[in-house]
Each structure stands twice: as C-alpha cells, then as structure tokens.
Amino acid sequence: MLSASFLKRNLACIKLGILSRISYPIDFLMGIALLPLCQFAVEAAFWTGLIGVSGSSSLGGFSLAYYLGYFLWQVLPLGGINWRFERAMIAEINSGAVNALLLRPSSFYEYHLGQLLGQKIISILIMAPFMIVIAWAWDLPFHIERLPLALLMGFSYVILLFALHFAVASMAFFLDHVYSLNNTKNMIIWFLSGELLPLDLLPSPLREWVIALPFSSGVYLPAAYLSGRIELGLFLQGFVSLAIGGLFFGLLARWIWKKGLRSYSGTGA
Amino acid sequence: MLASLKKICRVEWALFKLSAIADLQVPFNIALQFVNDILWYLMQVVLFETLYLHVSSLGGWGVEEMRVFLGMLFLVDAIQMILFSQNFDQFSEKVARRDLDLLLLRPASSQQLMTAQKLQCSFLLNALCAFIWLIWSLSALPGGFPYARAPLLLLVIPAGVSIFYSTRLLFCTMALWMTRAEHFHEFYFTFFKIGQRPDLLYGPSVRYLILMVIPVGMIASVPTRVLVDPTDQFALPFLLFVSAAFLYIANRFWHWSVKRYMTIG
C-alpha cells in the first residue's frame, strides 16, 4: 500500500518534471536539443583543431574519432551539472517556499528528484537518436550494444549527484548565501567527472585517483566505455564507487536536511 | 558626450560603494567567490598543462604563450565578473519580474542600470591574482617581454572586456523579445567556451565565426596575439575596431529592443 502510493507520487513528480520542461517550447528546444548539440560542436571543433595543429594524428594514444566519440556523450544531459535546478531548490529554502512542500504528504527530496528524473528522461528520449545518428554519420567509434549499461550508469550518477545537490541546498537552512558553495561543488565535479577533458590524459597517479572517484561515472566512464576507450572491467568498477558514493552522499544529505529542518522549525517557520 | 561619460562614471562609483557595503556583510560568500574563480583558473591551467604533456606546440604557441593567453583570459573574466556578471546572470529574471519597467523611469542610462548596477567587489582579489599571473607569464616568454610594449596592456585589456560586455549584452537583450530566455544566456556561455581556447586552434570557418560574427575569440586570443607576436601588425587595429563596433551594435540593439518593449508594454 505504502509502495503503491510512493510509486504514484513519484510518477506524478516525474510527469510534472516532463510537463514543466515542455511547457515553454522554445526554451525546451534550446535547452534539450540545441544547447547540448552546440556544446558537442564546440568540443568537436576544439579537439579537431587541437589534434590538427599538434602535428600528430593522435593524442594520448587515441585518434580524433575517439575524442569525438567521447564528447558525444555530452549530447545526453546525464553527466553535466544542472545549475538552474539546484538554484531553484536553494531559492525555495531561502525564500520559505519550502513550507508549502513540508505540509504535503510527500518529501522535498522526492518532489525534486522526481522532477529532475522526468527532465532527464524526456531529454534522453529526444537526444539519444541524435547521438546515434551523429555517430553513424561521422563514423565514430560507438558501441551501441553498450548504450543500455552506459545509460544505467548515467541515471545512477544523476541520483548520486542529486543527493549531493540536496545536501548543499539543505545548507541554505544555516547559511544565507549557499549559491557560492554550490558553485564550488559544481566546479570541482566539472573537472572530476571528465567533462573538461578525458581523464586518461591526466598524468599518473592523479589519473587513477580521479577515475576511482564516483564522479568519473558522470562522463568519463560511460563516454569512454561507449566509445571503446575502456573495457568492461574498469567500467563496472564505476558502479562500485557509485554505490559507495551514493550511500555516503545520501546519508550526508539526510543528516544535513534533518539538522537544517530542526533549526528551521526552531526559528519559527 | 564627455558629460554623459562623467555621469556614467559617477553613478558607477556610487553603485560600487553600495555593492561593496552589501558584499562585506557576507565575508564567507566573498571567500567562496574568490575560491570558485581560482578553481576555474586552475581547471583551465590543468587542461592546457595536461595537453602540453602530450604535445610540444599548438598552432605555433608553446606552453609559455599559452600561459599568457590564460592570464589574459583570467584578467578579462575577472574584470567582467566585478562589473557586469551578476547583472547579466539575473538579466532574464529581472525582465520577467518587470524590474526593467522601474529602471526605465530613472534619470540614468537604463542600459547601465540593467548591466552594471550590482558589482561584485570580491572579484577584485581574483583580478589581482590574474594580473600577477599575466605579468609572470609575460616575463617568462622565451624572448622576454620588453617594457616598451607594456602600455599595450592598457589597450588590449579594455578592448577584451568591451567585447565580452557587448557580446553578452546582445545575447541577454533577447530576453526582451521572449517569455523565457535563460537558455540564450547559457547559449552565450557555450560560445564563450570557444573563446576560452586560442582561435589558432580552430579551422577557418570557426575562426571566422568567433572573430567576426560572435567575436568571443577576440576576448583573449587576439589580445594575446598583440602581446606575444610583435610581427602581427594587423591584430591591434582589428581588435580595437571590433571592440568599438560591437559596443555600438550592442547599444543600438538594446535601445531598439527597449523601444519595442515599451511599445508592447
């Protein structure tokens, strides 16, 4: 009974996320399709130019096609950080809009996680075909049979990252300006996930340390696995670090939220 | 012309003092903003230093020239963070909340009030760090950097900032044309990402785009070329012309959009 209502509630949140995303068609089109494609085009232009002017046909042992295949993952918004979404959570706590949610028979956590997942689902449904067409048209190394596992890792990473976002957003109960702290977190994740550059280019032992962290499951591991830069063994290690990281950040988020809520209620909200 | 410039400077100084007082209320935030920008610098440095572990030269630039490029990028970015960034970040929201309506009634430039009302004084420290990095990287150039060329900094840095400002304004002004324009803002940063890398790395069509159409390549690449390559006689006049032209175009586009906004109501 409890699980049925839980499922129903969360499906409603996912639906809300999808509907709120498509209610502004131009904004939706820009955010879901045009922007990720442009980001891919920017990376493609950079790495093409870089390898072109370096005077070599490869960089770090990989040809240009492997780099393009790697950055193709960014067309799917699974690894990237979502600044707008986190800002909304922080603003709700800062402004007291969170009160309306606290009174309802659902949690702030599932309300936002459901919406975030809804947004990701609609984005992937639209962008996955684009990714496949680009890989096919440009003849990029793209192992389509690996896509389901890569997507599974991508969604697991979204849930892990959401726990971290939630922990930072909950700091808004204690601090007036959490936005900067949020930016600090995002800046670090941007590098650690492999969005800036493929992590295998980093010098050893930094490379091994960074890949072992759960953040590499955001971009590096799925993108490298899909494009054939790494094999299954290393890829599967990502699920282990995701599980450990998820548990850690989940507990951290829960602790900060509970503590924040107590001090918030205590100040008269 | 001179009188209006003086007025703009006077208003800006007053806004700076107000912003500084507001910023100093939250010292923790100032420290974090400083750290964030330093982190961003660090990421860019890591990117290029890592790449230079695998190659010796990129488009004729060695790691020393690339460090000058990064110094220029950091300094221009820090200056725009102080003067405009927060205003542009909230631009679309301000339009949606109709804050612009009130600003249009004030006896000051609506463009100035929309784009330079809230300054972020915490980034002064970042600007200082970026300036030190730039001077260090210039002094570390293989042939050295003659002091006689130092006054060029007074031309190329404002030109880079002016191009940054005008291109951002062009994108943000789109908020006056549609209900939600947040993605135009994000779209700008996608373009700016191209400008975060030297234009010499790109193919001819991309270079044309980032130097002539949306000149984000002029923010740091061309100013760096002026500094590191004395033989490039074309770079400085081209940079000054584009910065002046885009400032004018952005201003005209703003006025035209505001006029349309006021007509619609």
Side-chain angles (χ1 to χ4, degrees):
Chain A
M1 190 64 191
L2 178 72
S3 61
S5 68
F6 174 81
L7 197 68
K8 202 173 162 190
R9 216 165 51 220
N10 281 280
L11 280 175
C13 290
I14 290 174
K15 203 172 158 191
L16 179 66
I18 294 173
L19 290 175
S20 65
R21 207 77 180 94
I22 58 177
S23 51
Y24 296 96
I26 296 178
D27 194 61
F28 173 70
L29 200 70
M30 294 266 306
I32 295 294
L34 214 56
L35 210 56
L37 286 174
C38 280
Q39 280 162 357
F40 169 68
V42 167
E43 293 300 341
F46 174 62
W47 291 91
T48 305
L50 189 77
I51 293 177
V53 298
S54 70
S56 165
S57 60
S58 68
L59 185 75
F62 294 102
S63 67
L64 174 64
Y66 278 93
Y67 284 90
L68 298 182
Y70 178 88
F71 283 101
L72 196 55
W73 177 255
Q74 291 192 8
V75 169
L76 302 181
L78 284 173
I81 33 190
N82 193 332
W83 301 67
R84 216 198 314 179
F85 195 84
E86 303 148 48
R87 281 180 166 266
M89 277 205 295
I90 295 170
E92 280 178 22
I93 296 175
N94 270 341
S95 68
V98 65
N99 293 356
L101 279 165
L102 293 175
L103 294 172
R104 289 183 197 168
S106 86
S107 73
F108 188 70
Y109 187 88
E110 61 186 10
Y111 173 71
H112 281 289
L113 178 61
Q115 284 193 69
L116 182 66
L117 288 176
Q119 292 183 6
K120 299 292 180 191
I121 289 168
I122 186 77
S123 310
I124 285 158
L125 285 176
I126 292 173
M127 292 314 291
F130 277 97
M131 187 167 82
I132 294 165
V133 167
I134 293 171
W136 170 75
W138 287 14
D139 197 19
L140 300 179
F142 184 82
H143 298 257
I144 197 161
E145 73 283 359
R146 297 180 174 184
L147 187 59
L149 258 185
L151 285 177
L152 180 67
M153 178 171 275
F155 271 102
S156 310
Y157 177 74
V158 168
I159 294 168
L160 169 127
L161 206 57
F162 179 79
L164 184 56
H165 294 336
F166 188 80
V168 173
S170 301
M171 297 287 286
F173 284 122
F174 312 103
L175 303 165
D176 287 334
H177 289 259
V178 190
Y179 295 107
S180 299
L181 187 65
N182 191 51
N183 292 350
T184 312
K185 175 206 72 188
N186 286 348
M187 201 73 75
I188 295 168
I189 293 173
W190 181 50
F191 169 67
L192 295 178
S193 66
E195 199 178 337
L196 181 67
L197 81 167
L199 298 176
D200 48 32
L201 286 180
L202 292 171
S204 189
L206 183 66
R207 177 177 55 220
E208 287 78 16
W209 293 343
V210 173
I211 291 175
L213 292 172
F215 303 108
S216 64
S217 306
V219 178
Y220 176 72
L221 289 177
Y225 180 60
L226 210 53
S227 60
R229 282 174 90 109
I230 57 166
E231 289 307 318
L232 188 65
L234 181 60
F235 175 75
L236 289 179
Q237 282 177 26
F239 282 107
V240 178
S241 62
L242 269 176
I244 297 167
L247 190 70
F248 175 75
F249 291 125
L251 289 173
L252 180 75
R254 186 184 151 84
W255 180 68
I256 297 176
W257 171 260
K258 292 267 180 199
K259 203 170 154 60
L261 207 57
R262 264 202 304 276
S263 72
Y264 182 62
S265 312
T267 50
Chain B
M1 176 80 177
L2 196 67
S4 56
L5 195 66
K6 269 171 85 176
K7 186 181 170 187
I8 286 174
C9 291
R10 237 186 7 254
V11 171
E12 207 53 48
W13 176 239
L15 292 171
F16 175 80
K17 285 189 284 187
L18 284 172
S19 304
I21 292 166
D23 283 348
L24 288 168
Q25 306 285 321
V26 200
F28 177 65
N29 199 44
I30 291 181
L32 273 178
Q33 282 179 337
F34 170 73
V35 171
N36 281 345
D37 236 33
I38 294 292
L39 272 176
W40 184 72
Y41 299 167
L42 204 64
M43 302 299 163
Q44 303 302 323
V45 172
V46 166
L47 172 68
F48 283 104
E49 295 288 335
T50 305
L51 290 176
Y52 274 100
L53 290 176
H54 300 273
V55 294
S56 56
S57 158
L58 289 171
W61 280 4
V63 72
E64 294 85 4
E65 286 85 1
M66 198 59 81
R67 285 174 188 149
V68 176
F69 167 80
L70 290 175
M72 183 57 69
L73 178 69
F74 299 160
L75 185 57
V76 170
D77 181 70
I79 295 172
Q80 75 86 29
M81 289 299 279
I82 296 168
L83 298 174
F84 321 115
S85 180
Q86 195 175 357
N87 302 281
F88 281 124
D89 288 348
Q90 295 169 353
F91 197 99
S92 148
E93 202 184 320
K94 273 184 178 174
V95 173
R97 283 201 318 249
R98 305 197 74 90
D99 289 358
L100 176 63
D101 300 17
L102 293 172
L103 297 182
L104 289 171
L105 297 172
R106 295 198 182 158
S109 156
S110 58
Q111 184 186 326
Q112 184 187 8
L113 292 179
M114 265 307 264
T115 60
Q117 190 178 32
K118 177 74 180 79
L119 288 85
Q120 299 186 102
C121 309
S122 54
F123 288 98
L124 281 167
L125 272 176
N126 295 93
L128 182 69
C129 290
F131 186 69
I132 292 169
W133 172 281
L134 179 63
I135 298 300
W136 166 76
S137 59
L138 280 170
S139 65
L141 279 171
F145 183 71
Y147 287 114
R149 290 176 64 77
L152 281 176
L153 289 170
L154 297 175
L155 285 176
V156 296
I157 294 167
V161 174
S162 138
I163 291 170
F164 206 142
Y165 173 79
S166 43
T167 46
R168 256 195 112 170
L169 179 61
L170 281 170
F171 272 76
C172 282
T173 306
M174 292 306 295
L176 300 181
W177 291 75
M178 53 189 60
T179 325
R180 280 181 72 169
E182 286 95 338
H183 282 307
F184 268 95
H185 184 70
E186 290 169 30
F187 206 51
Y188 176 77
F189 279 102
T190 305
F191 269 105
F192 176 54
K193 208 169 174 185
I194 311 180
Q196 288 172 20
R197 283 94 190 243
D199 69 294
L200 297 164
L201 295 182
Y202 299 108
S205 51
V206 178
R207 282 185 77 187
Y208 178 78
L209 177 76
I210 61 167
L211 294 177
M212 302 300 289
V213 184
I214 307 166
V216 287
M218 307 282 272
I219 291 171
S221 286
V222 180
T224 306
R225 245 191 288 158
V226 173
L227 295 176
V228 302
D229 186 5
T231 58
D232 193 344
Q233 301 293 324
F234 178 64
L236 184 61
F238 181 50
L239 173 69
L240 297 178
F241 170 74
V242 172
S243 66
F246 267 80
L247 209 51
Y248 178 76
I249 292 167
N251 176 264
R252 289 294 93 203
F253 184 56
W254 166 260
H255 281 292
W256 182 48
S257 303
V258 166
K259 208 169 161 185
R260 181 186 169 276
Y261 174 82
M262 287 166 76
T263 319
I264 293 169

